[in-house]
Protein backbone atom coordinates (compact mmCIF):
# COMPACT_ATOMS: atom_id res chain seq x y z
CA UNK A 1 0.00 0.00 0.00
CA UNK A 2 1.06 3.50 -0.70
CA UNK A 3 2.09 5.78 2.14
CA UNK A 4 2.90 9.46 2.43
CA UNK A 5 5.24 10.80 5.08
CA UNK A 6 5.65 14.39 6.18
CA UNK A 7 8.49 14.38 8.67
CA UNK A 8 8.08 17.97 9.85
CA UNK A 9 5.03 18.38 12.11
CA UNK A 10 5.71 22.11 12.41
CA UNK A 11 7.76 24.68 10.54
CA UNK A 12 8.29 28.39 10.95
CA UNK A 13 9.41 31.03 8.48
CA UNK A 14 10.02 34.75 8.57
CA UNK A 15 7.81 36.86 6.35
CA UNK A 16 9.38 37.35 2.89
CA UNK A 17 11.74 34.42 3.40
CA UNK A 18 11.69 31.03 1.70
CA UNK A 19 10.67 27.76 3.31
CA UNK A 20 10.68 24.17 2.10
CA UNK A 21 8.27 21.54 3.34
CA UNK A 22 9.29 17.90 2.96
CA UNK A 23 7.26 14.99 1.71
CA UNK A 24 8.27 11.45 0.87
CA UNK A 25 6.09 8.66 -0.36
CA UNK A 26 6.26 4.98 -0.96
CA UNK A 27 4.80 3.29 -4.00
CA UNK A 28 5.58 0.55 -6.47
CA UNK A 29 3.65 2.34 -9.21
CA UNK A 30 5.35 4.24 -12.00
CA UNK A 31 2.43 6.49 -12.90
CA UNK A 32 0.78 8.59 -10.24
CA UNK A 33 -0.07 12.12 -9.18
CA UNK A 34 1.17 14.19 -6.29
CA UNK A 35 -0.52 17.15 -4.66
CA UNK A 36 0.03 19.76 -2.02
CA UNK A 37 -3.07 21.01 -0.24
CA UNK A 38 -3.30 23.95 2.14
CA UNK A 39 -5.74 24.13 5.06
CA UNK A 40 -5.80 27.57 6.71
CA UNK A 41 -7.13 27.77 10.27
CA UNK A 42 -10.89 27.29 10.27
CA UNK A 43 -10.99 27.56 6.51
CA UNK A 44 -11.45 25.19 3.63
CA UNK A 45 -8.70 23.02 2.25
CA UNK A 46 -7.52 24.17 -1.16
CA UNK A 47 -5.19 22.77 -3.77
CA UNK A 48 -1.84 24.53 -3.95
CA UNK A 49 -0.01 22.62 -6.64
CA UNK A 50 0.03 19.25 -8.39
CA UNK A 51 2.51 17.16 -10.29
CA UNK A 52 2.20 14.25 -12.70
CA UNK A 53 4.86 11.63 -12.09
CA UNK A 54 5.65 11.19 -15.77
CA UNK A 55 6.60 14.85 -16.08
CA UNK A 56 10.20 15.56 -15.24
CA UNK A 57 9.68 19.30 -15.07
CA UNK A 58 8.84 20.56 -11.61
CA UNK A 59 5.46 22.23 -11.26
CA UNK A 60 5.29 25.92 -10.38
CA UNK A 61 2.40 28.11 -9.29
CA UNK A 62 3.44 31.68 -8.62
CA UNK A 63 5.37 31.62 -5.31
CA UNK A 64 4.90 27.88 -4.90
CA UNK A 65 7.12 25.33 -6.55
CA UNK A 66 7.96 21.69 -6.02
CA UNK A 67 11.14 19.68 -6.14
CA UNK A 68 10.04 16.32 -7.49
CA UNK A 69 12.67 13.61 -7.21
CA UNK A 70 11.03 10.47 -8.58
CA UNK A 71 13.89 8.10 -7.88
CA UNK A 72 14.08 9.28 -4.29
CA UNK A 73 10.28 9.39 -4.00
CA UNK A 74 10.47 12.89 -2.70
CA UNK A 75 8.08 15.76 -3.35
CA UNK A 76 8.97 18.90 -1.42
CA UNK A 77 7.14 22.22 -1.55
CA UNK A 78 9.02 25.49 -1.68
CA UNK A 79 7.25 28.69 -0.73
CA UNK A 80 9.09 31.83 -1.79
CA UNK A 81 8.54 35.32 -0.41
CA UNK A 82 6.39 33.92 2.41
CA UNK A 83 3.34 35.92 3.37
CA UNK A 84 1.25 35.95 6.54
CA UNK A 85 -1.58 34.34 4.61
CA UNK A 86 0.59 31.31 3.94
CA UNK A 87 0.21 30.23 7.57
CA UNK A 88 -1.72 26.96 7.46
CA UNK A 89 -1.53 23.20 7.61
CA UNK A 90 0.02 21.81 4.45
CA UNK A 91 -0.80 18.29 3.35
CA UNK A 92 1.06 16.27 0.80
CA UNK A 93 -1.10 13.76 -1.07
CA UNK A 94 -0.64 10.91 -3.51
CA UNK A 95 -2.99 9.30 -6.00
CA UNK A 96 -2.48 6.33 -8.28
CA UNK A 97 -2.99 6.74 -11.99
CA UNK A 98 -5.99 4.74 -13.13
CA UNK A 99 -7.94 2.39 -10.93
CA UNK A 100 -10.65 3.59 -8.59
CA UNK A 101 -10.99 7.30 -8.48
CA UNK A 102 -10.72 9.55 -5.52
CA UNK A 103 -8.20 7.61 -3.50
CA UNK A 104 -6.10 10.49 -2.30
CA UNK A 105 -3.61 9.31 0.31
CA UNK A 106 -2.58 12.12 2.62
CA UNK A 107 0.36 12.71 4.90
CA UNK A 108 -0.17 13.88 8.46
CA UNK A 109 0.51 17.46 7.55
CA UNK A 110 2.97 20.21 8.40
CA UNK A 111 1.84 23.25 10.34
CA UNK A 112 3.50 26.33 8.91
CA UNK A 113 3.76 29.52 10.95
CA UNK A 114 4.80 32.81 9.36
CA UNK A 115 6.43 35.39 11.59
CA UNK A 116 5.98 39.09 10.77
CA UNK B 1 -23.69 30.17 -2.37
CA UNK B 2 -20.80 28.78 -4.33
CA UNK B 3 -18.38 25.94 -3.76
CA UNK B 4 -18.90 23.13 -1.28
CA UNK B 5 -20.96 23.76 1.85
CA UNK B 6 -21.43 21.57 4.89
CA UNK B 7 -23.98 21.68 7.69
CA UNK B 8 -23.87 21.75 10.58
CA UNK B 9 -20.44 23.21 11.18
CA UNK B 10 -20.36 21.86 14.71
CA UNK B 11 -22.19 18.91 16.23
CA UNK B 12 -22.16 17.42 19.69
CA UNK B 13 -23.97 14.13 20.16
CA UNK B 14 -24.31 11.31 22.61
CA UNK B 15 -23.47 7.75 21.76
CA UNK B 16 -27.13 6.79 21.45
CA UNK B 17 -28.14 9.69 19.21
CA UNK B 18 -28.84 9.62 15.50
CA UNK B 19 -27.75 12.60 13.45
CA UNK B 20 -26.91 13.43 9.86
CA UNK B 21 -24.24 15.54 8.21
CA UNK B 22 -25.08 17.30 4.98
CA UNK B 23 -22.85 18.33 2.11
CA UNK B 24 -23.90 20.31 -0.93
CA UNK B 25 -21.81 21.33 -3.90
CA UNK B 26 -22.68 24.12 -6.33
CA UNK B 27 -19.93 23.36 -8.82
CA UNK B 28 -21.71 21.01 -11.20
CA UNK B 29 -19.48 18.14 -10.13
CA UNK B 30 -20.46 14.50 -10.29
CA UNK B 31 -18.11 12.90 -7.76
CA UNK B 32 -18.34 13.47 -4.02
CA UNK B 33 -16.31 12.23 -1.08
CA UNK B 34 -16.40 11.93 2.69
CA UNK B 35 -13.14 12.21 4.62
CA UNK B 36 -12.38 11.92 8.33
CA UNK B 37 -9.71 14.21 9.76
CA UNK B 38 -8.51 13.27 13.23
CA UNK B 39 -5.87 15.09 15.21
CA UNK B 40 -2.32 14.04 14.36
CA UNK B 41 -3.52 11.51 11.78
CA UNK B 42 -3.67 11.69 7.99
CA UNK B 43 -6.98 12.42 6.33
CA UNK B 44 -8.85 9.16 5.84
CA UNK B 45 -11.04 8.62 2.81
CA UNK B 46 -14.36 7.12 3.90
CA UNK B 47 -16.69 7.02 0.90
CA UNK B 48 -16.69 7.98 -2.77
CA UNK B 49 -19.73 8.54 -4.95
CA UNK B 50 -19.59 9.05 -8.70
CA UNK B 51 -22.79 9.94 -10.53
CA UNK B 52 -24.73 8.98 -7.38
CA UNK B 53 -23.25 5.51 -7.25
CA UNK B 54 -21.00 4.49 -4.39
CA UNK B 55 -17.64 3.50 -5.85
CA UNK B 56 -15.60 3.29 -2.69
CA UNK B 57 -16.22 2.24 0.90
CA UNK B 58 -12.94 2.33 2.70
CA UNK B 59 -13.79 -0.26 5.38
CA UNK B 60 -15.90 2.21 7.31
CA UNK B 61 -17.93 0.88 10.29
CA UNK B 62 -21.62 0.48 9.63
CA UNK B 63 -22.48 3.13 12.22
CA UNK B 64 -21.61 5.55 9.39
CA UNK B 65 -24.13 5.37 6.56
CA UNK B 66 -23.73 7.54 3.45
CA UNK B 67 -26.49 8.65 1.14
CA UNK B 68 -26.21 10.41 -2.20
CA UNK B 69 -29.66 11.30 -3.57
CA UNK B 70 -28.24 13.32 -6.46
CA UNK B 71 -24.92 14.60 -7.72
CA UNK B 72 -25.18 17.80 -5.70
CA UNK B 73 -25.97 16.39 -2.27
CA UNK B 74 -24.23 13.96 0.02
CA UNK B 75 -25.26 12.90 3.50
CA UNK B 76 -23.54 10.99 6.26
CA UNK B 77 -25.98 9.40 8.68
CA UNK B 78 -24.58 8.71 12.12
CA UNK B 79 -25.88 6.35 14.79
CA UNK B 80 -24.49 4.78 17.95
CA UNK B 81 -21.14 6.48 17.49
CA UNK B 82 -18.15 6.07 19.78
CA UNK B 83 -16.03 8.81 21.37
CA UNK B 84 -13.16 7.89 19.03
CA UNK B 85 -15.37 8.96 16.13
CA UNK B 86 -14.93 12.56 17.24
CA UNK B 87 -13.19 14.33 14.36
CA UNK B 88 -13.57 16.85 11.57
CA UNK B 89 -15.58 15.34 8.73
CA UNK B 90 -14.79 16.83 5.36
CA UNK B 91 -16.78 16.62 2.19
CA UNK B 92 -15.17 17.13 -1.21
CA UNK B 93 -16.25 17.07 -4.83
CA UNK B 94 -14.68 16.87 -8.24
CA UNK B 95 -15.78 16.45 -11.80
CA UNK B 96 -16.62 12.84 -12.54
CA UNK B 97 -15.44 12.92 -16.12
CA UNK B 98 -12.15 13.28 -17.89
CA UNK B 99 -8.98 12.54 -16.01
CA UNK B 100 -10.65 12.27 -12.63
CA UNK B 101 -7.45 11.06 -11.06
CA UNK B 102 -5.84 14.38 -11.74
CA UNK B 103 -8.78 16.63 -11.16
CA UNK B 104 -8.71 18.98 -8.25
CA UNK B 105 -10.89 18.09 -5.31
CA UNK B 106 -12.79 20.99 -3.80
CA UNK B 107 -13.33 20.68 -0.07
CA UNK B 108 -16.04 21.94 2.22
CA UNK B 109 -15.28 23.61 5.55
CA UNK B 110 -16.05 20.45 7.49
CA UNK B 111 -18.27 19.47 10.39
CA UNK B 112 -16.56 19.32 13.76
CA UNK B 113 -18.14 16.30 15.46
CA UNK B 114 -17.83 15.58 19.17
CA UNK B 115 -19.21 12.32 20.55
CA UNK B 116 -19.77 12.29 24.28
Amino acid sequence: AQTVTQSQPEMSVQEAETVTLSCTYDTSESDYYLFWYKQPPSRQMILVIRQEAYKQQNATENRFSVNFQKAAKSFSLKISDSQLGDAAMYFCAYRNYGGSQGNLIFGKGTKLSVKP
Amino acid sequence: ETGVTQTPRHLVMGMTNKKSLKCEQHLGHNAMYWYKQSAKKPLELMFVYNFKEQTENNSVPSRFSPECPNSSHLFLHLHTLQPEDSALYLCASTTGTGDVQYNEQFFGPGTRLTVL
Side-chain angles (χ1 to χ4, degrees), chain B residues 37-53:
Chain B
Q37 186 177 23
S38 305
K40 299 182 180 179
K41 292 178 69 176
L43 269 76
E44 302 169 72
L45 178 68
M46 299 175 72
F47 301 104
V48 181
Y49 278 82
N50 192 26
F51 292 93
K52 302 188 295 179
E53 297 297 320

Side-chain angles (χ1 to χ4, degrees), chain B residues 1-112:
Chain B
E1 284 193 81
T2 59
V4 181
T5 58
Q6 291 185 242
T7 54
R9 294 293 306 273
H10 300 271
L11 177 63
V12 179
M13 58 187 290
M15 289 190 285
T16 58
N17 291 157
K18 290 184 179 181
K19 296 287 185 183
S20 295
L21 310 184
K22 178 182 177 182
C23 174
E24 184 173 2
Q25 57 93 3
H26 309 268
L27 300 168
H29 291 162
N30 291 304
M32 297 185 76
Y33 313 79
W34 278 118
Y35 288 90
K36 176 182 179 182
Q37 186 177 23
S38 305
K40 299 182 180 179
K41 292 178 69 176
L43 269 76
E44 302 169 72
L45 178 68
M46 299 175 72
F47 301 104
V48 181
Y49 278 82
N50 192 26
F51 292 93
K52 302 188 295 179
E53 297 297 320
Q54 187 178 123
T55 57
E56 191 82 24
N57 177 338
N58 203 21
S59 302
V60 180
S62 59
R63 57 185 184 269
F64 295 92
S65 176
E67 179 189 1
C68 189
N70 54 62
S71 293
S72 298
H73 294 85
L74 184 65
F75 295 89
L76 188 62
H77 304 300
L78 317 170
H79 64 98
T80 58
L81 294 191
Q82 304 298 311
E84 59 264 30
D85 297 322
S86 299
L88 181 67
Y89 289 84
L90 295 172
C91 173
S93 72
T94 191
T95 179
T97 59
D99 187 359
V100 294
Q101 310 292 330
Y102 188 65
N103 291 336
E104 176 180 355
Q105 289 191 14
F106 291 79
F107 285 81
T111 294
R112 175 68 63 185

Side-chain angles (χ1 to χ4, degrees), chain A residues 24-37:
Chain A
T24 58
Y25 56 94
D26 187 28
T27 183
S28 58
E29 304 291 331
S30 58
D31 290 329
Y32 47 87
Y33 303 102
L34 296 164
F35 306 81
W36 276 99
Y37 277 86

